[in-house]
Amino acid sequence: MKKKKSSTRLVERYSEFLIGVLLISLAYNFFVLPHNIVYGVGGLGVIFKKLVGADPSIIILIGSLILLVLSWFFLGKESTKKTVLGSLLYPVFVKLTEGLPAMISLGEIEPLLEIICGSIVAGIGLGLVFKAGFTTGGTDILNQIVSKYGKMNVGKAMFYTDGVIILIALLVFDFHTFIYSVINLYIISLMTDKVVLGISQSKAFYIITSEETSVKKFIMNSMVHGVTVLEGRGGYTGDFKKVIMCIVPTSQYCELKDGILKIDKNAFFVVTDAYEVSGGA
């Protein structure tokens, strides 16, 4: 039974991966290339096509191979393994789908709307690839290298690497293209997160209050939700405090917030998205 489940999950993973790479490639040929949107290794393909008429898929392949070699030396064998398949298949899929825009007309659509649609499609595709446990290589490798050796988080590394590539768009294209590229990158990052993490249906509250008993009663009796009491300690004072943690549906966020403040107007609380809640009664 376990072997069957493992095989089924393997098929699901590779299916998600292939669909994801296909969606990214379609977004590239239908929306990125026609509007000269610049980001990642694909952005280099756009730039070289504009400057010397080079085949974007070849530029993406060359860039990906160079980055794979860098990954091997700077990130190690295990990290590189996860990127090999995506790095090779992405330019292949871009090449295979390059003729589709000439065969399938999307009609007259406002450029900004086209870019938004393309960003959503690419973000969904990238999310599926990440969810399956793969990457498409490219600047993902560069981000990890910069993060590791520049002693910074991946988000900041991405700002520098993709930021530099997008800035090149100002030298090759116009300011509109630069703005479109920024919008595209932002939407892609949002959609990728939504696919990987899902849409948050719940909120997690972490509450520090002098009215601990009253707040707990309100949550358990009035809102009918469980609570967990954590041990906390002030970093500056060193005083021990109780931290009330609870998970509520997003629809009850305002009700709980208002209830806490009614009981203790000086209560301190932090609210975060809870993307997955499992277990409990």
Side-chain angles (χ1 to χ4, degrees), residues 23-271:
L23 288 175
I24 298 168
S25 303
L26 290 172
Y28 187 81
N29 282 313
F30 274 95
F31 304 106
V32 172
L33 272 179
H35 293 287
N36 297 320
I37 302 302
V38 175
Y39 71 95
V41 175
L44 295 179
V46 174
I47 292 169
F48 276 94
K49 183 182 180 184
K50 174 70 175 179
L51 293 177
V52 296
D55 185 334
S57 63
I58 299 299
I59 299 299
I60 294 171
L61 179 61
I62 293 171
S64 296
L65 290 174
I66 291 171
L67 287 167
L68 278 174
V69 173
L70 291 175
S71 176
W72 182 275
F73 283 107
F74 291 102
L75 299 176
K77 183 171 68 174
E78 291 305 315
S79 292
T80 305
K81 277 182 185 178
K82 298 175 184 176
T83 64
V84 171
L85 195 57
S87 296
L88 298 178
L89 278 186
Y90 176 43
V92 170
F93 274 44
V94 167
K95 187 65 178 177
L96 292 175
T97 58
E98 67 178 1
L100 291 179
M103 298 166 57
I104 303 170
S105 174
L106 299 178
E108 292 294 324
I109 306 176
E110 288 291 325
L112 182 58
L113 186 58
E114 277 198 55
I115 289 160
I116 291 171
C117 290
S119 304
I120 291 172
V121 172
I124 292 171
L126 200 56
L128 288 172
V129 171
F130 288 163
K131 197 173 179 181
F134 297 92
T135 78
T136 53
T139 49
D140 288 336
I141 294 172
L142 198 55
N143 293 337
Q144 291 177 57
I145 293 173
V146 172
S147 172
K148 181 177 179 180
Y149 292 93
K151 307 297 182 186
M152 63 183 74
N153 60 46
V154 177
K156 194 172 182 181
M158 189 184 298
F159 173 79
Y160 286 122
T161 54
D162 281 321
V164 167
I165 294 172
I166 289 175
L167 282 174
I168 294 173
L170 277 175
L171 302 175
V172 180
F173 304 107
D174 55 22
F175 188 71
H176 282 88
T177 301
F178 169 74
I179 294 298
Y180 286 157
S181 297
V182 172
I183 292 171
N184 175 74
L185 187 60
Y186 178 70
I187 295 174
I188 285 177
S189 65
L190 286 180
M191 289 305 302
T192 300
D193 283 346
K194 292 302 178 188
V195 173
V196 174
L197 298 174
I199 297 172
S200 169
Q201 301 290 336
S202 304
K203 299 294 181 188
F205 275 74
Y206 297 88
I207 310 154
I208 298 175
T209 174
S210 58
E211 302 291 338
E212 179 195 339
T213 303
S214 298
V215 170
K216 284 193 299 186
K217 282 183 178 178
F218 171 71
I219 295 169
M220 292 188 290
N221 299 333
S222 299
M223 300 196 66
V224 198
H225 288 296
V227 300
T228 298
V229 179
L230 309 174
E231 292 287 346
R233 186 180 178 188
Y236 180 72
T237 64
D239 295 340
F240 286 94
K241 298 175 185 281
K242 300 288 186 182
V243 181
I244 301 170
M245 185 196 78
C246 68
I247 310 292
V248 299
T250 300
S251 60
Q252 292 185 312
Y253 161 75
C254 290
E255 183 184 351
L256 178 52
K257 183 183 78 169
D258 293 342
I260 294 168
L261 293 175
K262 272 185 183 177
I263 297 168
D264 178 8
K265 66 178 181 179
N266 295 315
F268 172 84
F269 56 89
V270 176
V271 185

